[in-house]
Amino acid sequence: MKALGYNHYGKPDVFEEVTMPTPTVGTDEVLLKTKFVSIHPVDALIRSGGFSGGHALNQLLIPGSEVLGEIVELGTDVQGFAKGDIVIGKPGRAGYADYVVVHQSKVFHKPKDMPNEAAAGFSGVGNTAYYTLFDFGNIQAGETITILGASGGVGSIAIQIAKNEGLHVIAVASEKNKQYVLQLGADEFVDYKQPSQLEAIHDRADIVIDASLFASSAESGLALVKDGGRYVTLTRSPEAPTGKQIDIIDMRRTPDMTDKKAMDYLTALHEKHPVHVKPTALFPFSVKGVVAAHTALEDGSLSKKILLEV
Ligand SMILES: NC(=O)c1ccc[n+]([C@@H]2O[C@H](COP(=O)([O-])OP(=O)(O)OC[C@H]3O[C@@H](n4cnc5c(N)ncnc54)[C@H](OP(=O)(O)O)[C@@H]3O)[C@@H](O)[C@H]2O)c1
């Protein structure tokens, strides 16, 4: 099979194509023929050596934690799936490949009627939004929530969950995405490039979540929380003193963050009212394609969910 990976950290051009044996399934695993691979901001952070602690890699790393694919083989103990099913797979890694093995607990049926492209990038951002709001944010009906990065993959789902739970939503994104976030249900829109607009929402939110790309809003975001409020960050804790009592919650994955709990909620939400997933941009499954995809992700100007089409 074909895979895309790298054996040293660096810029997007570290990627190379490798040919390796197609993996075989264990008793509780499925083999997926990949159709789409979801590219996450964290993939770029890992590739650049952001989590390396200064150590060299010196071995082949095939990234890819989320794919959409067709089941082509099942282990003997797998239940609830059949050959030919198009499913969401969360292999954790090694998804930048045309075949990938996934444990059955990390395989999910697509929400009903959700197109393949949307479903391909849905679970990672959806589950993150779910845990950010419920388990870390402890959102309550009637509260005001300000979402930084509201037009992003995580932020756009967060708007829809927050509205479903009865919160007042202030969406912070760039002007080009104003109509998009309002259509998703946000009550108010603020352009993060306009300091006066940001100033007008200082001290308004019971809870702020920072889902901006690479935590670009970390410092300015604290000013938006009211005294006694909560600030949940997805990547980096702000350090600015505020003179306010703010509970700063740094989101970390814990064993309790099972994909199933979040997917059950999101699937039910989708059946009640179709969940809109950030529009996608497709890149080819090739070295050229993955280099362009990572470059576009880091640049941040595309405002699309980035996928490789296999
Ligand atoms: N801890 C976890 O488990 C976890 C999981 C998933 C993601 N994350 C993190 O969450 C963040 C969002 O992920 P995503 O997949 O939703 O990313 P995304 O789709 O690329 O969305 C990024 C958002 O950030 C906004 N943005 C870009 N530049 C900005 C700036 N300079 N200031 C303020 N906002 C800016 C974008 O707004 P416009 O496009 O409107 O300009 C967009 O709304 C990333 O930092 C990611 O690493 C964490």
Side-chain angles (χ1 to χ4, degrees), residues 277-297:
V277 182
K278 185 177 172 179
T280 49
L282 300 181
F283 289 77
F285 182 63
S286 63
V287 170
K288 205 171 160 197
V290 74
V291 170
H294 271 234
T295 304
L297 189 147

Side-chain angles (χ1 to χ4, degrees), residues 10-306:
K11 296 206 170 358
D13 63 6
V14 293
F15 274 101
E16 59 185 78
E17 182 179 323
V18 288
T19 303
M20 49 209 304
T22 302
T24 50
V25 292
T27 54
D28 48 10
E29 293 175 330
V30 303
L31 179 66
L32 300 184
K33 169 84 185 74
T34 314
K35 288 182 175 298
F36 295 102
V37 182
S38 176
I39 309 278
H40 296 170
V42 73
D43 295 356
L45 286 170
I46 294 170
R47 188 219 68 235
S48 67
F51 294 123
S52 68
H55 299 291
L57 180 58
N58 293 334
Q59 60 175 339
L60 180 67
L61 192 156
I62 311 289
S65 56
E66 180 179 23
V67 302
L68 185 102
E70 178 183 344
I71 297 182
V72 291
E73 245 182 82
L74 299 109
T76 48
D77 293 344
V78 174
Q79 293 186 347
F81 298 100
K83 267 190 194 176
D85 285 354
I86 306 293
V87 294
I88 295 166
K90 307 286 287 294
R93 51 193 263 171
Y96 287 24
D98 49 14
Y99 289 90
V100 63
V101 161
V102 190
H103 190 274
Q104 63 171 329
S105 64
K106 297 285 181 184
V107 180
F108 301 95
H109 291 289
K110 288 190 311 166
K112 197 165 171 276
D113 299 330
M114 187 178 274
N116 282 354
E117 259 182 69
F122 173 62
S123 174
V125 294
N127 291 3
T128 302
Y130 174 89
Y131 282 103
T132 301
L133 294 184
F134 289 112
D135 290 52
F136 294 91
N138 190 24
I139 54 168
Q140 305 293 328
E143 287 189 317
T144 293
I145 183 168
T146 296
I147 300 173
L148 304 167
S151 58
V154 177
S156 57
I157 306 279
I159 294 175
Q160 296 169 80
I161 296 176
K163 286 314 297 175
N164 187 53
E165 298 298 322
L167 282 83
H168 181 87
V169 175
I170 304 175
V172 180
S174 51
E175 179 67 27
K176 65 179 179 212
N177 288 316
K178 177 176 178 175
Q179 288 315 318
Y180 173 59
V181 297
L182 291 175
Q183 277 163 14
L184 293 178
D187 299 286
E188 299 178 50
F189 167 81
V190 162
D191 180 355
Y192 63 78
K193 292 174 184 156
Q194 300 295 332
S196 61
Q197 290 191 19
L198 276 172
E199 217 166 285
I201 56 162
H202 277 189
D203 302 315
R204 285 226 12 231
D206 299 287
I207 171 167
V208 169
I209 73 161
D210 183 3
S212 64
L213 189 63
F214 306 131
S216 325
S217 303
E219 263 61 52
S220 56
L222 279 182
L224 311 181
V225 191
K226 63 166 68 155
D227 195 15
R230 288 109 64 207
Y231 185 95
V232 188
T233 176
L234 277 70
T235 48
R236 180 166 70 83
S237 286
E239 285 166 13
T242 62
K244 291 184 281 192
Q245 196 66 38
I246 296 176
D247 189 6
I248 298 179
I249 303 150
D250 201 341
M251 188 196 169
R252 297 271 184 248
R253 287 197 171 269
T254 69
D256 293 339
M257 285 176 58
T258 59
D259 290 295
K260 184 177 179 330
K261 187 172 132 192
M263 282 300 287
D264 285 351
Y265 175 92
L266 292 163
T267 302
L269 178 61
H270 184 73
E271 275 164 19
K272 182 174 155 193
H273 185 84
V275 175
H276 291 275
V277 182
K278 185 177 172 179
T280 49
L282 300 181
F283 289 77
F285 182 63
S286 63
V287 170
K288 205 171 160 197
V290 74
V291 170
H294 271 234
T295 304
L297 189 147
E298 289 180 333
D299 170 55
S301 57
L302 203 52
S303 276
K304 297 262 171 78
K305 175 75 209 168
I306 295 175

